[in-house]
Amino acid sequence: QSALTQPASVSGSPGQSITISCTGTSSDVGGYNYVSWYQQHPGKAPKLMIYEVSNRPSGVPDRFSGSKSGNTASLTISGLQAEDEADYYCSSYTSSIFYVFGTGTKVTVL
Amino acid sequence: EVQLVESGGGLVQPGRSLRLSCAASGFTFDDYAMHWVRQAPGKGLEWVSGISWNSGSIGYADSVKGRFTISRDNAKNSLYLQMNSLRAEDTALYYCASGSLEAFDIWGQGTMVTVSS
């Protein structure tokens, strides 16, 4: 149950695109199409942004997109906005009722 | 309104026990798996435990296996986490979350557990 690996920080200017990677193994990210992404602002509960690798829940802007290749999943934020500054976590189903989170990435809007 | 409300956190001495509760409302509780996720101060998210809709599947992170017990009461729309033999490293904000589409789609605001003498 090792945490998935994410970069500690990613930054970009307003309007730019950024991508956050999430690297696991064939037992989690690579083995299932059940990768999800969460946004967490300081002092707030996490919010689901992407589920099943690339699907957006209702209400999540379409500038958030997800993808996966092999054991690495990615979250891309296009047209970066000030309110996107937050911590982002990936998560993957691993088996049965088990899950694992990523190490987390702090996104800074310059 | 869809809502999860955790309770039961507090300050507890190492080695003692605590029971967390999570009250669900606004959705069909017994349709969903439920989970506990924790976040130590200044740290990332850690999946702690999960339970299927009918309690038929239960899982724990290695860090809490043998010490924590998850349970649910669908008649009361409630989720529980019994935490025994608490350690300093269990200090964290504990969130309950519903599991839908193999993701955590609804989150509570969390209840803080502090383990200290």
Side-chain angles (χ1 to χ4, degrees):
Chain A
Q1 293 181 351
S2 298
L4 308 175
T5 301
Q6 297 180 231
S9 63
V10 173
S11 62
S13 299
Q16 286 187 329
S17 292
I18 62 169
T19 297
I20 304 168
S21 62
C22 169
T23 301
T25 69
S26 58
S27 295
D28 38 62
V29 174
Y32 308 94
N33 287 325
Y34 292 133
V35 176
S36 50
W37 289 90
Y38 303 85
Q39 177 191 65
Q40 187 180 35
H41 286 110
K44 300 295 186 181
K47 174 187 176 183
L48 177 65
M49 304 300 284
I50 296 287
Y51 66 94
E52 291 180 346
V53 176
S54 60
N55 294 313
R56 282 186 310 276
S58 175
V60 172
D62 61 5
R63 52 201 180 76
F64 289 87
S65 62
S67 62
K68 190 186 85 168
S69 178
N71 296 337
T72 298
S74 299
L75 173 71
T76 297
I77 309 175
S78 305
L80 197 63
Q81 298 185 6
E83 60 261 36
D84 299 333
E85 186 162 294
D87 293 326
Y88 291 82
Y89 296 90
C90 62
S91 178
S92 176
Y93 170 89
T94 65
S95 68
S96 183
I97 198 73
F98 293 86
Y99 291 79
V100 62
F101 280 96
T103 50
T105 298
K106 180 176 181 59
V107 169
T108 301
V109 181
L110 301 172
Chain B
E1 179 191 6
V2 173
Q3 198 172 12
L4 293 171
V5 179
E6 303 93 336
S7 61
L11 174 64
V12 61
Q13 293 180 328
R16 302 298 292 266
S17 299
L18 208 57
R19 188 194 195 209
L20 306 183
S21 299
C22 171
S25 60
F27 66 100
T28 308
F29 181 72
D30 53 11
D31 275 353
Y32 297 97
M34 295 294 296
H35 301 268
W36 288 99
V37 176
R38 69 183 180 184
Q39 187 169 34
K43 302 297 184 182
L45 300 174
E46 179 187 16
W47 177 82
V48 173
S49 182
I51 186 169
S52 62
W53 68 275
N54 63 352
S55 304
S57 292
I58 287 176
Y60 301 96
D62 288 345
S63 57
V64 307
K65 194 180 302 181
R67 300 187 298 121
F68 290 11
T69 302
I70 191 172
S71 62
R72 64 188 296 162
D73 185 337
N74 288 343
K76 295 182 177 180
N77 288 345
S78 293
L79 175 72
Y80 306 101
L81 187 67
Q82 177 67 42
M83 304 186 295
N84 298 332
S85 303
L86 282 162
R87 306 167 179 167
E89 54 264 37
D90 296 319
T91 293
L93 184 62
Y94 284 73
Y95 294 102
C96 72
S98 67
S100 173
L101 302 170
E102 306 304 342
F104 308 102
D105 59 338
I106 305 167
W107 295 70
Q109 287 304 304
T111 186
M112 187 67 201
V113 172
T114 303
V115 184
S116 174
S117 55

